[in-house]
Amino acid sequence: MCNVEVMVEQPQCASVYEEPALINEQPPTTIDIAHLIRDPSNRPQIWEYPVNQQDEIRRAYINLGPYQPLMSEYPLTGALVLDNAPQNAKYTSHQIQKEILHVFARNVQSSIHHEIGDAKFCLIVDKTQDESRREQMALVIRFVDRSGFIRERFLDIVHVKDTTASTLKKEISFVLSHHNLDVQNIRGQGYDGASNMRGEWNGLQALFINNCPYAYYVHCLAHQLQLALIAAAREISDVHTFFQNLIFIINIVSASCKRNDELRAFQAATIEHLIDIGEIEMGKRVNQVGGLQRPGDSRWSSHFKSICSLIKMYGATCLVLENISLDGSTYSQRGDVAFSFKLLMSFDFAFILHIRKNVMGITDVLCQTLQQKSQDILNAMYLVTTTKTLIQKLRDDGWETLLEEVTSFCKHQDIEVPDMDACFSSVGRSRRKTKSITVEHHYRVDIFTVIIDQQLQELNNRFNEQTIELLKLSAALDPKNNYKLFSVEDICLLVDKFYPEDFSDQEKTHLRFQLQHYELDVPNHRKLKNMSSIADLCQGLVETEKSTIYPLIDRLIRLILTLPISTTTTERAFSAMKIVKTRLRNRMEDDFLGMEELV
């Protein structure tokens, strides 16, 4: 550990760049937070500070913000390459540039192949059209590296003449062969739900299973969640109409720079007023003035951001609409604004706005988690279960809290709140339906309960983990709650039924004895007893060298972690493709596109 001789900064000028302080050998027992070393190259690492101050010091550095040393000279670290090259060499021709990119891409692919080694891997595949309307297929390899970390590496992007399963399999097999990756090492497949991908008889996953029967297919969980959210919104007319109106309002308010400026000005004035009366507090990166978020068709999580932004800027949005109604140049413009304002001032719109905020706030945690590369399938399925549980709890116990929240919001925005005990009447109500209901019954049963039940039904239909025996048996290795679900019999059955080719008969016998020692050893180990996921456990076994003591268990854990979660990595490759192959560069050849993606 190192002692720190710090330089004193002027508290009133935190942005001044001071000279680097010296680092000595022994640390003091406490550190003066006001006099921290700013220069990252000279300050100690966080673990070198006293343990009881580490969190405080970390927060202090975050509050200080970024620091960039100002140097008058940048010393040379060695000769630049062009000094040794012929003076007439510029390396700017198209052919030379392509050759350089080819060398870089080949080195990247070689590094990925070396990183995979002889590990089992999973195929993650997705497809889309590029700027020139050519069908492109992105191929990502998921595996567990030597240190126990889950890796998802973009391997290649390939043009396919059509999207039939046989064509896709042929191209994927060619890419794998080109990179010396054996098809027999595939232990998972991750695709979307299109019939040519997931078909049980002629789909891509079925064709690979014919050659490698243990390449288990997992429908992209992020895609399943997207479908569940979309279906729940489309099946209920009130919710479908709500999202149409939400998009309409946002488009009206955000139609011009002038309206956006007005929106920000009104929001800034609102924030300033709330600070003055003490309803909100000041702080760094809080109460920032922004704009309304437009929901996107392909990312359902953007709808949640759109709802939150409207709630935050509700009052400012109403003021902008009032201004437009006075200054509108045409009857149609003023009519659209009047309709939007009427929607915002209705209790129905505010009520559904808050229901969707609460429901989508619960599902958004799962949505964001499924975007992560290093997520394991067991942890993802646990989050699916907790998501269902929280939505069910909202249905059972959340009505009173929601009604209070909506009522308070409406009063703050001067929206008329109906009498909940009054008799409910609707223009479109059938005359034959003579049974009278209260207003509260309408909002609670016909809207609140229906919305939540529909969402639960869609999640149950698309995430029915009880039918997936592989995941149920894999849960026996989960370290949560101090290895509560650990079962020698379930783990041995998992190997016999799903991974028989990865363990010899002799290894299956040894596995049972390893599991008996493992059960008494690992749950009581200081570094391994508080693991939160099977991915953390895999890393912990390598770190503590338990993977060498229990190699068969380590092998099985890696096989489970190879199972895919989502196709988000391939979608990131498509995002990069749109940057590389633009409208002005739409004649780029496919091999050159693949090289640029890798580099």
Side-chain angles (χ1 to χ4, degrees):
M1 297 179 69
C2 300
N3 195 7
V4 183
E5 182 179 348
V6 297
M7 291 194 65
V8 179
E9 288 188 30
Q10 297 298 328
Q12 68 274 18
C13 188
S15 62
V16 175
Y17 298 108
E18 66 274 25
E19 291 294 324
L22 300 176
I23 299 180
N24 296 330
E25 294 185 356
Q26 294 296 326
T29 56
T30 59
I31 299 294
D32 185 358
I33 300 299
H35 301 145
L36 292 174
I37 299 174
R38 298 296 307 282
D39 195 331
S41 64
N42 290 299
R43 71 189 187 204
Q45 298 296 325
I46 192 66
W47 57 81
E48 297 181 59
Y49 288 106
V51 175
N52 60 347
Q53 277 195 288
Q54 287 181 5
D55 289 341
E56 184 182 9
I57 290 171
R58 186 182 290 108
R59 286 192 294 269
Y61 273 122
I62 293 174
N63 291 331
L64 286 172
Y67 174 86
Q68 181 179 5
L70 297 179
M71 300 175 62
S72 57
E73 295 183 2
Y74 293 84
L76 292 175
T77 57
L80 295 170
V81 174
L82 293 179
D83 292 340
N84 298 326
Q87 296 302 307
N88 62 343
K90 296 184 179 179
Y91 303 107
T92 57
S93 71
H94 295 296
Q95 186 61 33
I96 295 297
Q97 292 290 308
K98 287 185 177 180
E99 289 181 8
I100 292 173
L101 279 174
H102 180 72
V103 171
F104 286 161
R106 187 169 55 196
N107 287 341
V108 171
Q109 290 172 333
S110 176
S111 176
I112 293 173
H113 179 260
H114 176 74
E115 191 178 23
I116 296 173
D118 59 354
K120 308 301 181 183
F121 60 87
C122 164
L123 294 176
I124 302 178
V125 179
D126 205 353
K127 56 194 182 305
T128 191
Q129 288 186 352
D130 63 16
E131 182 64 31
S132 59
R133 303 191 66 79
R134 294 166 68 90
E135 196 74 43
Q136 302 288 354
M137 176 180 67
L139 176 60
V140 169
I141 300 295
R142 177 185 171 98
F143 61 98
V144 181
D145 67 11
R146 294 174 179 84
S147 299
F149 289 87
I150 301 172
R151 304 295 185 190
E152 290 185 1
R153 299 298 189 216
F154 169 73
L155 194 63
D156 209 344
I157 189 165
V158 183
H159 166 61
V160 289
K161 62 181 181 181
D162 58 61
T163 58
T164 61
S166 58
T167 299
L168 296 179
K169 181 180 183 293
K170 179 181 177 181
E171 294 295 339
I172 293 171
S173 299
F174 175 79
V175 173
L176 294 178
S177 176
H178 178 71
H179 295 291
N180 297 318
L181 295 173
D182 190 353
V183 173
Q184 295 302 317
N185 284 337
I186 301 175
R187 290 298 180 270
Q189 303 179 72
Y191 317 132
D192 60 23
S195 59
N196 64 329
M197 307 296 277
R198 67 173 299 182
E200 295 184 7
W201 302 106
N202 298 316
L204 178 61
Q205 61 102 2
L207 296 182
F208 271 113
I209 286 179
N210 290 336
N211 297 119
C212 186
Y214 309 110
Y216 300 112
Y217 166 68
V218 178
H219 184 186
C220 170
L221 299 187
H223 187 244
Q224 290 189 67
L225 177 61
Q226 178 92 348
L227 294 175
L229 295 173
I230 291 174
R234 287 178 176 173
E235 291 298 321
I236 302 175
S237 59
D238 288 339
V239 178
H240 179 70
T241 303
F242 164 79
F243 279 113
Q244 286 185 323
N245 292 334
L246 175 68
I247 295 172
F248 181 78
I249 292 171
I250 293 175
N251 287 338
I252 290 291
V253 177
S254 306
S256 67
C257 296
K258 178 183 177 182
R259 295 178 188 179
N260 277 301
D261 290 342
E262 288 181 355
L263 183 68
R264 291 187 178 92
F266 286 134
Q267 180 65 8
T270 301
I271 292 174
E272 184 178 355
H273 172 69
L274 293 175
I275 292 174
D276 290 340
I277 63 177
E279 287 196 13
I280 58 175
E281 297 180 355
M282 297 180 63
K284 193 171 185 178
R285 292 187 293 271
V286 297
N287 302 322
Q288 295 182 348
V289 177
L292 294 178
Q293 173 80 37
R294 279 192 176 95
D297 293 333
S298 60
R299 286 291 178 270
W300 198 252
S301 60
S302 65
H303 288 68
F304 176 61
K305 295 177 182 178
S306 180
I307 287 172
C308 291
S309 68
L310 180 59
I311 290 176
K312 180 181 178 182
M313 309 186 73
Y314 209 89
T317 303
C318 291
L319 290 174
V320 170
L321 291 175
E322 284 184 315
N323 279 2
I324 300 174
S325 65
L326 297 175
D327 302 333
S329 57
T330 64
Y331 287 112
S332 62
Q333 187 181 66
R334 290 195 292 270
D336 290 342
V337 171
F339 176 72
S340 300
F341 185 75
K342 183 179 179 180
L343 286 173
L344 286 176
M345 298 306 292
S346 69
F347 181 82
D348 281 19
F349 185 86
F351 183 75
I352 298 179
L353 180 72
H354 281 79
I355 293 179
R356 295 308 306 177
K357 183 203 72 171
N358 291 340
V359 173
M360 298 188 72
I362 295 172
T363 59
D364 190 64
V365 176
L366 175 61
C367 185
Q368 298 302 322
T369 302
L370 294 178
Q371 308 299 315
Q372 299 176 10
K373 293 182 181 179
S374 60
Q375 192 61 253
D376 66 87
I377 196 164
L378 289 181
N379 207 39
M381 295 309 294
Y382 279 127
L383 280 172
V384 171
T385 301
T386 58
T387 299
K388 295 178 184 178
T389 302
L390 289 173
I391 294 179
Q392 182 65 49
K393 184 178 180 181
L394 176 64
R395 182 192 190 280
D396 297 337
D397 307 322
W399 166 251
E400 296 296 337
T401 303
L402 174 71
L403 183 60
E404 182 179 347
E405 180 185 4
V406 176
T407 302
S408 175
F409 177 84
C410 289
K411 289 180 178 178
H412 185 73
Q413 301 295 339
D414 294 329
I415 298 173
E416 183 179 355
V417 179
D419 182 4
M420 292 294 161
D421 296 326
C423 182
F424 175 76
S425 61
S426 174
V427 175
R429 192 174 178 83
S430 173
R431 294 181 179 178
R432 290 178 295 178
K433 197 170 183 179
T434 57
K435 184 179 178 180
S436 61
I437 60 173
T438 63
V439 173
E440 181 178 2
H441 180 277
H442 167 69
Y443 285 108
R444 181 171 186 171
V445 177
D446 298 341
I447 300 181
F448 174 76
T449 303
V450 169
I451 288 176
I452 295 180
D453 285 348
Q454 185 66 40
Q455 188 66 81
L456 280 173
Q457 180 181 339
E458 292 297 333
L459 289 173
N460 286 326
N461 290 342
R462 298 181 187 276
F463 292 97
N464 190 3
E465 68 274 12
Q466 299 301 321
T467 63
I468 306 177
E469 187 177 5
L470 170 60
L471 297 181
K472 291 170 63 178
L473 294 175
S474 300
L477 286 165
D478 197 334
K480 275 191 176 70
N481 301 320
N482 200 27
Y483 303 81
K484 179 181 179 181
L485 298 177
F486 183 85
S487 168
V488 174
E489 295 302 324
D490 283 351
I491 295 171
C492 291
L493 179 60
L494 174 66
V495 171
D496 288 335
K497 190 163 187 178
F498 293 97
Y499 297 106
E501 295 298 319
D502 292 297
F503 298 85
S504 66
D505 292 338
Q506 186 176 6
E507 285 178 331
K508 292 175 184 176
T509 301
H510 287 311
L511 174 63
R512 183 176 293 274
F513 291 107
Q514 281 192 18
L515 288 168
Q516 293 173 4
H517 286 276
Y518 177 94
E519 184 177 14
L520 298 175
D521 178 16
V522 172
N524 298 312
H525 192 279
R526 179 174 58 87
K527 291 186 176 179
L528 299 175
K529 63 182 180 181
N530 293 320
M531 294 291 170
S532 60
S533 69
I534 194 172
D536 293 337
L537 174 62
C538 187
Q539 300 163 25
L541 291 175
V542 175
E543 182 183 349
T544 59
E545 299 184 355
K546 294 291 185 182
S547 59
T548 60
I549 301 176
Y550 309 111
L552 300 178
I553 302 175
D554 178 71
R555 185 192 305 174
L556 180 58
I557 290 174
R558 289 168 181 265
L559 288 170
I560 296 169
L561 290 177
T562 300
L563 293 173
I565 302 301
S566 67
T567 61
T568 53
T569 306
T570 57
E571 292 169 3
R572 292 186 183 99
F574 292 145
S575 298
M577 181 182 69
K578 292 178 181 178
I579 298 174
V580 173
K581 192 168 185 178
T582 61
R583 182 176 59 85
L584 299 178
R585 305 176 70 193
N586 62 3
R587 297 181 64 183
M588 180 184 298
E589 293 298 325
D590 295 317
D591 58 343
F592 191 50
L593 172 64
M595 287 189 293
E596 290 215 22
E597 286 267 1
L598 276 168
V599 175

